[in-house]
Amino acid sequence: MERNSSKRVNGFTLFELLVTLAIAGLLLAIGTPAWSEWSARARVRTTLFDLAQDIAHARRLARSHSTFITLCARTLSRGCAPTGDFSNGWLVFVNTDNDRPAVRDDLEPVLIEGRPAPGVRLEANRTFFYFAPPDRRSTNGTFTACDKTANSHPRSLVVSYTGRGRVSDLPGGQCE
């Protein structure tokens, strides 16, 4: 009796499997830092885009209704924080009594509650921003956004005295 030796066994050899795993590990080691940096940049861009949209909306409302609209750092009790740390979020509200520094009273309606993307630190050189009717100046200032989890380059949102915002890179800057 003769055996049929032409039967082929499907599968991988141990050597083929080890080479495949080594190549996959190398690609993963190369790609992981790039992915982490890319996602950190995306979180910062998303935060500044959301903030810029809220600023544009506050500016439009102030001009169309001839009233003062305030943007301030949010506290847990939906009030204005006394610092320029916007990492907990921000509030946009109608400032009916036009107080300075901004204090959100219970009767002043909140129009927008925004938050930075998870892991993003957002700071400003002002504690609050006023958006004024057309015949008055708005508050100018700069927001700086950084990703806390990766050593990414910070980006800034510069708000002009007309209330318009523009995003720019901070040259050579590093997040702390």
Side-chain angles (χ1 to χ4, degrees):
M1 213 164 245
E2 198 173 307
R3 286 192 162 172
N4 187 357
S5 61
S6 64
K7 257 189 173 177
R8 180 112 171 121
V9 177
N10 294 331
F12 298 105
T13 65
L14 181 60
F15 180 73
E16 291 171 332
L17 186 61
L18 289 176
V19 168
T20 303
L21 286 175
I23 292 172
L26 181 65
L27 290 175
L28 186 64
I30 292 171
T32 300
W35 171 259
S36 137
E37 188 177 322
W38 178 85
S39 62
R41 278 193 225 146
R43 285 190 295 271
V44 168
R45 275 193 311 267
T46 300
T47 296
L48 290 181
F49 177 79
D50 291 346
L51 180 60
Q53 292 296 317
D54 292 347
I55 286 172
H57 187 66
R59 179 178 182 264
R60 277 191 305 272
L61 288 172
R63 291 182 174 274
S64 65
H65 295 291
S66 292
T67 187
F68 287 94
I69 305 293
T70 301
L71 181 140
C72 67
R74 179 184 184 276
T75 63
L76 296 177
S77 61
R78 294 182 75 196
C80 291
T83 67
D85 185 8
F86 285 72
S87 297
N88 290 328
W90 56 88
L91 291 176
V92 175
F93 64 95
V94 179
N95 195 354
T96 54
D97 56 1
N98 196 19
D99 49 2
R100 292 183 189 218
V103 176
R104 187 190 153 268
D105 303 321
D106 290 336
L107 298 176
E108 295 176 327
V110 173
L111 304 172
I112 301 170
E113 286 188 60
R115 290 188 182 277
V120 173
R121 187 178 72 237
L122 182 64
E123 294 178 355
N125 63 347
R126 305 266 188 260
T127 55
F128 54 87
F129 290 78
Y130 284 112
F131 300 96
D135 58 336
R136 306 284 300 271
R137 283 178 60 128
S138 296
T139 307
N140 64 327
T142 303
F143 290 91
T144 303
C146 246
D147 190 272
K148 294 186 229 178
T149 60
N151 194 15
S152 66
H153 294 286
R155 291 187 63 133
S156 63
L157 174 66
V158 181
V159 181
S160 71
Y161 69 89
T162 62
R164 293 182 188 219
R166 69 174 170 82
V167 176
S168 71
D169 289 322
L170 293 175
Q174 290 288 326
C175 295
E176 297 169 4

